[in-house]
Amino acid sequence: MTTHFSDPTVGAAAEALRGGTISIPSKFEAIGFLSNAGTMGKITFTIPFKEVAERLTFDRLLERHDFDTESLTTPGQRDISEKHAEKIAAFLTETDRPYLGTLTIAIPKEQVEVDVLQQVAQHVSLVKFVVPITSDNPIVEDGQHRVRGLTDAWRKITSDPSSEKFAEARRILETSSIEMTLLLEGDPSVLSTIFVKMATTRPISASLIAIMDSSAVQNRLGQEVTRKSHYLSNRTAYLGAKAAQKLAASKGKKYDPLYPAAAVRSAAAAIAGVGVRDRTPDQREDILTQLFTERAKREEKSMDKIIEITADEIVADLDYAFTRIPGWDGVAAERLSASEFKAEYVHSSAAGLHVIANVIAAAKLAGLETRRVIDELARLPWRRDDLRKVSVDGEELLVHELFEDTLVRTAFDVKTGLWRAGQAGATRGAYEEAIRKVLSTLAQRSKEMEAMQAQPVLSALGLVSAGRGRPRKKQP
């Protein structure tokens, strides 16, 4: 299908389909498929990326507005995230498969001239349509970030046509097209509702993104670790329980998840040197990219090779830990199911995995042998029923030996008459404090382990700010 803007040059084939020329000046015109969404008509057509980037932009033919509660006549949207638009632009300048899905725009039905050329299926017709110069500009209904990203990418790669840097990206985008759907609708309340419904459909889970999306460095690292680890490869969850059970059954296996893929990804990033500095996924990505870029330059290897090597190092440490740390060793030897492990051990949560991962990271930063540190970790009280007595205001209570109010919180169960340690909640502050407790305990047990409490190590992990000394020890 051919799309024309303002002063189109129409090919012979298109002329034959259109049955003549358009006498009324138009903002744009195209040939597409007319169908219905209930009482609302919609036309789907295809246009080149170049046309979107150069003409169908916010400052020319398309319009967008931040939602305004005081406006009842202008359709509004959420504000644009520049970071998200930048990611799309970066993707388009790097990929050889620039697929962005379907962009959706809208305009009142009465402002579009539609001529049916041929019915191609029930309730579907091939049509030519024209948006006259006298019509309002269409508004972007879904795809504002993709329009911005595409526009920015195109401007970047065409700013210097003689440059070879983006020659391949220019060639790819010049030959690529994108699908667009024009909604024949002008009611702001209807369009706002449609926008919200499209934007709030069930999101892809962080764990499924971690497994599926290979565009991010952190995902690639997590995928490598998950795939190569002998003990995590078949125990990492990324689908919903029902779908995962069905998939496992089709392979003759039992669904017995240990940790979600997003947690494995974060743990791998922590060991790689991020520590707990990743306050957001974007920050984690930036830190990892910087670490890997520096290592690639230092070792004169490609980024792909550095990710592979780092993953192998992490897998070696984690798989060794699975054979040594209580609970994990039971899972590794298949004495414990994942569900039994979760019921009996405090490091069965994602927060518990992060504690172990960050201690391994501290060992690396301190220049210690990681297996020696893991052996010391194995001596810590990891069972939920590893409790000790304390006296509070003259009342005798039971608390966990090491992880009270960090990984677990102990309470008296009136039904059983026993003290029980349940999860304390996966807050960042809680598991950061658990990491500090572990490092402090290991340092007290071994002079060698004191190196993991050095200020440079804690600062690199993100447990203290640069310039601060050793954190104050806390006791439950």
Side-chain angles (χ1 to χ4, degrees):
M1 297 174 194
T2 304
T3 305
H4 306 277
F5 295 86
S6 56
D7 57 343
T9 300
V10 184
E15 279 295 317
L17 264 179
R18 293 167 57 80
T21 58
I22 301 290
S23 58
I24 302 174
S26 63
K27 291 189 174 183
F28 73 92
E29 54 191 83
I31 295 171
F33 292 101
L34 173 67
S35 57
N36 301 309
T39 59
M40 179 176 64
K42 55 188 175 70
I43 303 173
T44 300
F45 55 103
T46 301
I47 61 175
F49 273 15
K50 178 179 179 180
E51 298 292 353
V52 175
E54 294 185 348
R55 301 194 184 188
L56 209 61
T57 60
F58 299 147
D59 56 356
R60 295 202 63 181
L61 292 179
L62 277 185
E63 291 185 7
R64 66 163 302 281
H65 308 276
D66 290 337
F67 190 83
D68 184 353
T69 56
E70 296 181 0
S71 174
L72 300 177
T73 59
T74 303
Q77 294 184 319
R78 58 184 172 188
D79 55 317
I80 285 185
S81 164
E82 296 297 336
K83 194 76 172 180
H84 186 47
E86 288 170 8
K87 287 183 178 179
I88 295 172
F91 165 70
L92 291 174
T93 60
E94 298 166 359
T95 184
D96 61 353
R97 294 173 173 81
Y99 180 70
L100 291 179
T102 301
L103 303 180
T104 306
I105 61 178
I107 194 170
K109 180 179 180 180
E110 61 273 12
Q111 295 190 27
V112 183
E113 297 179 4
V114 180
D115 183 12
V116 177
L117 301 174
Q118 181 181 344
Q119 184 172 344
V120 295
Q122 189 175 17
H123 307 303
V124 179
S125 299
L126 181 67
V127 301
K128 66 176 182 182
F129 71 93
V130 178
V131 177
I133 198 70
T134 54
S135 297
D136 296 333
N137 283 339
I139 61 106
V140 60
E141 175 70 0
D142 182 53
Q144 57 177 352
H145 288 93
R146 285 169 285 165
V147 172
R148 170 66 65 79
L150 174 53
T151 302
D152 291 347
W154 184 260
R155 289 172 178 168
K156 181 177 183 179
I157 66 175
T158 59
S159 59
D160 182 4
S162 63
S163 172
E164 291 297 316
K165 182 178 181 180
F166 295 113
E168 182 63 11
R170 284 196 299 271
R171 185 191 68 79
I172 288 173
L173 291 191
E174 283 173 352
T175 60
S176 299
S177 297
I178 190 167
E179 294 75 45
M180 185 168 287
T181 294
L182 176 66
L183 303 182
L184 303 178
E185 178 61 61
D187 187 330
S189 63
V190 171
L191 293 173
S192 294
T193 299
I194 291 173
F195 174 77
V196 170
K197 294 302 181 183
M198 286 194 294
T200 56
T201 53
R202 185 183 179 189
I204 302 175
S205 72
S207 288
L208 187 54
I209 290 174
I211 289 295
M212 290 181 65
D213 179 17
S214 297
S215 65
V217 169
Q218 59 186 296
N219 292 347
R220 291 165 62 190
L221 178 66
Q223 290 161 11
E224 286 276 310
V225 170
T226 299
R227 179 173 60 84
K228 292 181 175 180
S229 171
H230 181 71
Y231 303 110
L232 288 171
S233 59
N234 292 320
R235 296 184 176 94
T236 300
Y238 57 91
L239 295 173
K242 188 174 181 179
Q245 289 167 356
K246 184 177 179 180
L247 180 61
S250 70
K251 298 178 180 179
K253 299 178 181 179
K254 182 180 178 181
Y255 178 57
D256 195 27
L258 196 58
Y259 297 107
V264 175
R265 174 188 62 186
S266 297
I271 297 174
V274 174
V276 295
R277 293 180 289 164
D278 52 342
R279 300 289 164 168
T280 66
D282 287 341
Q283 189 175 24
R284 182 190 308 133
E285 184 73 7
D286 291 342
I287 295 171
L288 266 185
T289 299
Q290 180 180 353
L291 289 170
F292 289 167
T293 300
E294 292 173 352
R295 183 172 179 180
K297 183 177 181 180
R298 187 170 62 249
E299 299 182 10
E300 297 183 343
K301 293 181 172 67
S302 68
M303 178 71 85
D304 289 343
K305 190 63 178 177
I306 293 301
I307 293 174
E308 180 184 346
I309 293 171
T310 305
D312 288 342
E313 294 168 350
I314 293 170
V315 167
D317 286 332
L318 285 179
D319 277 5
Y320 179 76
F322 263 90
T323 66
R324 302 291 297 162
I325 295 177
W328 275 4
D329 61 352
V331 173
E334 298 186 352
R335 296 192 308 269
L336 286 176
S337 67
S339 56
E340 291 170 334
F341 166 67
K342 291 176 181 178
E344 298 176 18
Y345 290 88
V346 301
H347 53 304
S348 59
S349 64
L353 173 62
H354 276 71
V355 171
I356 295 174
N358 278 279
V359 174
I360 293 174
K364 287 178 173 290
L365 289 167
L368 301 179
E369 170 57 47
T370 54
R371 293 198 172 193
R372 173 82 177 90
V373 174
I374 290 169
D375 287 342
E376 289 300 311
L377 279 173
R379 297 175 55 203
L380 298 180
W382 294 104
R383 290 187 59 87
R384 290 187 184 277
D385 56 6
D386 287 330
L387 307 179
R388 59 184 171 89
K389 293 180 180 179
V390 297
S391 180
V392 178
D393 296 331
E395 182 181 2
E396 188 175 90
L397 307 175
L398 291 181
V399 297
H400 195 271
E401 288 187 23
L402 183 60
F403 296 111
E404 188 69 27
D405 287 331
T406 57
L407 297 182
V408 296
R409 183 168 291 116
T410 307
F412 185 73
D413 188 339
V414 294
K415 292 184 179 180
T416 63
L418 301 173
W419 288 89
R420 181 179 179 277
Q423 289 189 12
T427 63
R428 176 176 288 271
Y431 69 72
E432 286 184 3
E433 182 60 26
I435 297 167
R436 294 189 184 95
K437 283 192 173 184
V438 171
L439 294 177
S440 175
T441 301
L442 295 182
Q444 292 171 13
R445 291 185 177 184
S446 168
K447 185 77 173 176
E448 176 189 13
M449 302 293 161
E450 288 184 358
M452 292 191 293
Q453 281 203 302
Q455 193 275 339
V457 172
L458 297 178
S459 178
L461 282 177
L463 289 173
V464 298
S465 301
R468 284 181 53 191
R470 181 179 299 180
R472 180 174 57 87
K473 296 179 182 178
K474 297 181 180 180
Q475 299 296 331

